[in-house]
């Protein structure tokens, strides 16, 4: 069976390479992306456990976009897709079981609502594209479930993620992209970089205060916080700031520490003294961007009133944009608010499933924290649950679930809690409550 699978994989790769090289003779940018994909594929075939490291490194440092036929994927998306297929094939070959959990049902239900809401979609192609965007989150979840086999691997991935976040922060300080706002190598857009760092900042904070690290480990984590926080601030991304605030509050409430609140309070006091931050917070209400957001809120509620149960379908904002001047004015911000998008495009059905997922996952995360002793794994769960809530906060200004450059990270954090519970079961031999496998 193994020689057959290897032959099959390399046959398809050979056909793919031959056809694509012919198509890309005069497309240097596409050729760069193609060579990157080919190189990543070879690495994954030889060392599939490197999958998540490649994804994190790609988003942080190098992720060219590649068009071929109907596929328009960044490098990190290709790695996620290829790795999932590879791991599923390996599990079939090794006859390893894959346990399903209630969280899987909630995620599958949310994914299904994208298809159900297509009933009222004004543009099926746009709806499919929006659904694919969300599937990257599911891909990050599945990849973590399939690729991480023990606690040591999980903690190492966290360390690498913190390192890449700090590196992106350092790079951004030398790369202003929009006036005084900063961007990084791949996440050039300040809002994208800010939201990415918002999802990473809870990790070093959780490990610093709750990870029971060695003095060297605490020192490294403490140093990593500075470039991440500084870059996040200088993106001047208000959605990131809101998400960061929600995350900081969540971490403080989950495990109250006086030193933590003192550090956060001092940090926030210094941040509010920075002139660009003050200007961004007190932005003129007559600014065109503010006017667009008000128009979008009004139109979103009009869409919700017309189709309250199933919504207008994924991508309806963008699909309807050419119809009126008002739509054209807000088309660029179609992904600007997670909750408006759910109401307008997914309706009450998607809103109910999403709320159920948030409640279930939050309770699952809290019970996992409660059941674990104060070890690095508990800090990993704390950081993951805090980052999830930071994403919900950022959703006020960005539809963070559909942004494929970093929504996979939300899926990763959801998988972390499932994996930690699996590790606890394997170590103790007892099934933890509330998250038993269902098959």
């Amino acid at each position: 069976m193994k020689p057959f699978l290897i032959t099959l994989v390399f046959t398809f790769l050979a056909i793919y390479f031959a056809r694509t090289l012919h198509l890309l003779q005069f497309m240097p940018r596409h050729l760069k992306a193609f060579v990157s994909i080919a190189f990543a594929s070879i690495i994954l075939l030889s060392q599939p456990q490197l999958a998540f490291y490649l994804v994190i490194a790609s988003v942080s440092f190098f992720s060219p976009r590649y068009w071929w036929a109907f596929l328009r994927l960044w490098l990190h998306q290709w790695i996620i897709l290829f790795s999932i297929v590879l791991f599923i094939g390996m599990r079939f070959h090794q006859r390893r079981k894959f346990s399903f959990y209630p969280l899987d049902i909630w995620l599958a239900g949310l994914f299904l609502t994208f298809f159900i809401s297509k009933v009222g979609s004004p543009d099926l192609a746009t709806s499919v594209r929006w659904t694919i965007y969300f599937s990257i989150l599911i891909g990050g979840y599945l990849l973590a479930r399939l690729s991480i086999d023990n606690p040591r691997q999980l903690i190492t991935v966290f360390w690498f993620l913190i390192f890449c976040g700090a590196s992106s922060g350092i790079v951004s300080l030398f790369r202003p992209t929009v006036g005084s706002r900063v961007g990084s190598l791949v996440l050039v857009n300040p809002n994208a970089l800010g939201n990415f760092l918002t999802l990473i900042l809870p990790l070093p904070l959780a490990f610093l205060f709750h990870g029971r690290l060695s003095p060297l480990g605490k020192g490294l984590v403490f140093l990593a916080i500075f470039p991440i926080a500084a870059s996040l601030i200088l993106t001047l991304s208000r959605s990131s700031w809101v998400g960061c605030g929600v995350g900081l509050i969540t971490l403080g409430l989950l495990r109250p520490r006086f030193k933590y609140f003192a550090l956060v309070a001092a940090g926030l006091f210094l941040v509010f003294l920075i002139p660009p931050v003050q200007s961004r917070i007190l932005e003129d209400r007559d600014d065109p961007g503010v006017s667009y957001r008000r128009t979008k809120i009004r139109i979103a509620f009009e869409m919700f009133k017309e189709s309250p149960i199933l919504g207008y379908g994924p991508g309806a904002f963008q699909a309807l944009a050419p119809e009126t001047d008002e739509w054209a004015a807000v088309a660029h911000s179609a992904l600007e608010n997670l909750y408006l998008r759910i109401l307008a495009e997914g309706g009450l059905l998607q809103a109910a499933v999403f709320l159920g997922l948030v409640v279930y996952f939050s309770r699952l995360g809290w019970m996992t924290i409660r059941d674990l002793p104060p070890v690095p794994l508990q800090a990993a769960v704390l950081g993951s649950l805090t980052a999830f809530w930071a994403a919900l906060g950022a959703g006020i200004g960005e539809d963070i679930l559909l942004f494929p450059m970093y929504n996979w990270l939300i899926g990763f954090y959801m998988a972390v809690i499932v994996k930690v519970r699996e590790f606890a079961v394997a170590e103790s031999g007892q099934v933890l409550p509330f998250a038993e496998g269902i098959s």
Side-chain angles (χ1 to χ4, degrees):
M1 183 64 179
K2 187 175 181 179
F4 171 75
L5 288 175
I6 294 174
T7 303
L8 188 65
V9 169
F10 276 97
T11 300
F12 279 114
L13 283 176
I15 296 172
Y16 174 75
F17 289 173
R19 185 174 188 275
T20 308
L21 282 174
H22 173 72
L23 292 173
L24 298 180
Q25 291 180 74
F26 305 105
M27 300 179 181
R29 284 187 297 179
H30 289 189
L31 182 59
K32 179 176 70 173
F34 166 75
V35 172
S36 305
I37 290 171
F39 183 68
S41 301
I42 293 170
I43 293 176
L44 288 171
L45 284 171
S46 59
Q47 295 292 334
Q49 286 74 23
L50 294 177
F52 234 103
Y53 297 96
L54 289 176
V55 172
I56 296 169
S58 175
V59 172
S60 301
F61 305 114
F62 182 75
S63 189
R65 200 174 187 184
Y66 174 60
W67 287 261
W68 185 58
F70 63 92
L71 291 176
R72 301 175 63 185
L73 301 178
W74 281 277
L75 176 60
H76 72 280
Q77 292 175 276
W78 166 262
I79 294 171
I80 290 173
L81 176 63
F82 186 86
S83 301
I84 290 174
V85 173
L86 182 62
F87 277 111
I88 290 176
M90 291 172 59
R91 281 184 174 259
F92 272 114
H93 174 65
Q94 298 168 357
R95 297 181 179 179
R96 294 175 58 188
K97 295 176 63 177
F98 183 85
S99 297
F100 291 90
Y101 298 92
L103 181 60
D104 301 333
I105 298 176
W106 281 108
L107 283 171
L110 185 59
F111 191 53
L112 183 62
T113 62
F114 281 84
F115 289 93
I116 294 175
S117 63
K118 282 186 176 64
V119 173
S121 174
D123 186 334
L124 185 59
T126 303
S127 292
V128 170
R129 186 163 69 250
W130 250 240
T131 305
I132 291 174
Y133 289 163
F134 178 72
S135 70
I136 304 302
L137 185 151
I138 304 293
Y141 174 79
L142 290 175
L143 181 56
R145 289 283 310 275
L146 293 166
S147 63
I148 298 174
D149 293 326
N150 57 66
R152 185 175 180 179
Q153 287 181 3
L154 179 62
I155 298 300
T156 305
V157 170
F158 270 89
W159 276 105
F160 187 68
L161 185 57
I162 293 171
F163 167 78
C164 288
S167 300
S168 295
I170 293 171
V171 169
S172 74
L173 300 179
F174 301 95
R175 291 177 61 90
T177 56
V178 182
S180 60
R181 302 179 69 186
V182 300
S184 195
L185 295 172
V186 175
L187 299 163
V188 178
N189 183 287
N191 291 332
L193 175 63
N195 287 324
F196 179 67
L197 296 178
T198 294
L199 295 177
I200 295 178
L201 183 59
L203 307 185
L205 288 171
F207 278 100
L208 178 64
F209 287 96
H210 308 285
R212 298 292 180 92
L213 302 177
S214 66
L216 176 60
K218 285 189 176 182
L220 292 175
V221 166
F222 185 72
L223 290 176
I225 290 173
F226 285 96
I228 294 174
S231 180
L232 197 160
I233 293 165
L234 294 178
T235 60
L236 302 182
S237 169
R238 287 170 298 191
S239 64
S240 303
W241 294 348
V242 172
C244 182
V246 172
L248 292 175
I249 293 171
T250 301
L251 183 58
L253 293 177
L254 288 173
R255 277 289 185 266
R257 292 287 188 278
F258 175 77
K259 291 182 179 180
Y260 171 80
F261 284 113
L263 177 64
V264 169
L268 291 177
F269 176 77
L270 294 176
V271 167
F272 287 128
L273 294 178
I274 301 174
V277 173
Q278 295 176 355
S279 300
R280 187 65 169 164
I281 294 174
L282 302 175
E283 186 178 65
D284 189 350
R285 294 185 178 182
D286 294 328
D287 180 81
V290 177
S291 177
Y292 292 160
R293 283 188 286 275
R294 290 173 179 169
T295 302
K296 187 179 66 173
I297 291 173
R298 179 174 57 81
I299 295 176
F301 279 106
E302 289 177 359
M303 293 174 65
F304 173 70
K305 289 178 182 178
E306 292 184 19
S307 184
I309 305 301
L310 300 181
Y312 256 72
F317 263 110
Q318 197 172 67
L320 295 174
E323 293 189 1
T324 67
D325 291 338
E326 278 188 320
W327 279 113
V330 298
H332 76 285
S333 60
L335 291 178
E336 216 175 63
N337 189 294
L338 165 64
Y339 307 102
L340 286 179
R341 195 271 305 161
I342 288 179
L343 284 176
E345 298 182 356
L348 290 175
L349 175 63
Q350 190 170 103
V353 176
F354 177 71
L355 180 61
L357 172 65
V358 170
V359 172
Y360 177 83
F361 179 73
S362 299
R363 187 181 174 198
L364 179 65
W366 168 244
M367 293 185 69
T368 305
I369 294 168
R370 186 195 63 186
D371 293 337
L372 288 173
V375 294
L377 279 183
Q378 187 192 66
V381 176
L382 271 168
S384 298
L385 183 57
T386 300
F388 177 80
W389 271 92
L392 296 180
I396 295 174
E398 295 281 345
D399 192 346
I400 202 165
L401 294 187
L402 296 190
F403 203 92
M405 294 303 292
Y406 48 71
N407 65 352
W408 56 271
L409 196 49
I410 301 173
F412 166 69
Y413 290 135
M414 299 179 81
V416 164
I417 294 178
V418 173
K419 296 300 295 186
V420 168
R421 295 188 75 86
E422 287 183 352
F423 299 151
V425 169
E427 183 177 345
S428 66
Q430 297 179 354
V431 177
L432 296 178
F434 202 67
E436 297 88 344
I438 60 176
S439 69

